[in-house]
Amino acid sequence: ANAAGDVRLERSGTDRWLHTAATPEQLWPQLRSFWQERGLEVIKEQPEIGVMETNWGENRAKLPQDLIRSTLGKVFDGLYSTGERDMYRTRIERAANGSDIFISHRGMQEVYTSAGRDSTAWQNRPSDPYLEAEMLSRLMLKLGGKDEAAKTVLAEAGQPAPAATASTLKVGGETQRARRPLSEVPDRLSVAEGFDRAWRRVGLSLDRHGFTIEDRDRAAGLFYLRYADPEQAGKEEPNFFQRLFGAKGQSPVRYRVSVKAEDANSIVSILDDRGQPIADVNAKRILSLLMDDLK
């Protein structure tokens, strides 16, 4: 018998997650081995808040096999780059009768930074919902779910994002989203949803944007996070993968993201580390990122 017992897919709108009768404590070692089986190293474990993160791994599924065989003969690690890296964050929330498991993806791609195409840099690419669904379906099987149910998860997820081809990108890349003028960002967001769904969506959005979440308190509706402007991350640091948020030379500021029920809606706002509402530049940037995901 599988210790995880009954595992099923839950969905609300475009969000998907797994629910299982197992406790977070029972799931933790299974999750660690799941990522190791995928060839990804777990580099961050915070069981006290239910967060596990992998390293940035090459997406080998997108390597053109025939090209490698004909040109390289034998492939050594790192000799051939796909121009894409992926990392995953797994979040476990204790539920009334077990656990909810969320998987969020973050991607980066290599783009040319010079007209002569002789130097490249890494920059963000959007989270890929298909990769999230693929990992959820594989995890479902590992936890004892049925094959058919796992296949359905993928079938409903649409198509994977096309592979990034560095050669077709303009110098500097096209994937950087233009920043919304901060004057257009309200001091707080009103989301036309109840607390449960708003809490779940805010959590997934923070995960997908790579925020460092230090703690969370669902009863109080608070996520505690560290924030450093991602535009500055990696500018001085040659290895971009060291840490996208909280790069050297910047002291990250602590904020709280508050989710509060108000009638049938939910209000999302940013508080400082004393719990007071704040609308400084960083707070507006956090809200700006959340706006895109919560609309």
Side-chain angles (χ1 to χ4, degrees), residues 112 117 164-170 174:
Y112 288 112
R117 303 200 164 191
T165 48
S167 57
T168 59
L169 285 168
K170 291 189 181 119
E174 295 170 338

Side-chain angles (χ1 to χ4, degrees), residues 25-265:
E25 291 78 11
Q26 289 170 318
L27 288 167
W28 201 256
Q30 297 194 68
L31 285 169
R32 190 189 300 112
S33 72
F34 171 77
W35 291 115
Q36 287 165 347
E37 287 157 16
R38 308 266 83 73
L40 289 163
E41 186 189 340
V42 172
I43 56 164
K44 189 163 155 191
E45 295 192 47
Q46 297 171 283
E48 67 285 359
I49 61 168
V51 168
M52 182 181 289
E53 254 179 35
T54 72
N55 62 341
W56 288 95
E58 193 167 61
N59 188 342
R60 296 189 177 281
K62 292 182 176 173
L63 285 172
Q65 290 299 332
D66 50 340
L67 176 74
I68 294 174
R69 277 196 291 269
S70 61
T71 56
L72 300 178
K74 186 172 183 191
V75 183
F76 296 97
D77 256 6
L79 192 61
Y80 183 96
S81 166
T82 58
E84 288 193 357
R85 295 281 185 280
D86 298 293
M87 62 107 71
Y88 296 89
R89 182 182 289 183
T90 319
R91 193 157 43 87
I92 310 179
E93 295 223 350
R94 200 180 297 276
N97 51 353
S99 307
D100 292 328
I101 308 169
F102 301 84
I103 292 179
S104 53
H105 162 257
R106 286 170 63 207
M108 301 195 71
Q109 69 189 44
E110 210 171 1
V111 296
Y112 288 112
T113 53
S114 63
R117 303 200 164 191
D118 49 10
S119 62
T120 61
W122 290 92
Q123 62 178 218
N124 287 323
R125 66 179 217 273
S127 292
D128 187 338
Y130 184 87
L131 288 177
E132 293 174 349
E134 182 182 5
M135 293 304 175
L136 276 177
S137 72
R138 290 179 179 185
L139 180 58
M140 195 174 183
L141 288 175
K142 181 175 175 70
L143 297 178
K146 300 283 181 289
D147 202 27
E148 285 311 303
K151 282 182 182 148
T152 308
V153 179
L154 266 186
E156 291 176 353
Q159 293 300 309
T165 48
S167 57
T168 59
L169 285 168
K170 291 189 181 119
V171 172
E174 295 170 338
T175 59
Q176 293 295 64
R177 200 169 40 198
R179 278 194 165 178
R180 176 187 283 111
L182 295 183
S183 57
E184 292 176 14
V185 180
D187 289 352
R188 52 186 223 159
L189 306 177
S190 177
V191 186
E193 288 167 339
F195 174 81
D196 284 354
R197 181 147 191 237
W199 172 262
R200 194 164 54 238
R201 292 184 68 196
V202 167
L204 272 169
S205 178
L206 293 172
D207 286 343
R208 285 175 181 142
H209 289 298
F211 285 100
T212 301
I213 297 174
E214 296 188 323
D215 202 357
R216 57 196 161 97
D217 181 347
R218 188 188 163 107
L222 292 174
F223 291 93
Y224 295 77
L225 46 102
R226 279 187 310 168
Y227 179 82
D229 182 4
E231 294 288 299
Q232 300 308 316
K235 285 283 194 329
E236 311 301 322
E237 175 67 55
N239 183 354
F240 193 89
F241 296 122
Q242 289 296 330
R243 202 70 204 121
L244 192 60
F245 286 81
K248 284 183 185 167
Q250 277 197 288
S251 43
V253 190
R254 285 177 166 76
Y255 290 96
R256 301 175 192 179
V257 178
S258 160
V259 183
K260 287 263 183 288
E262 190 173 277
D263 302 322
N265 296 342

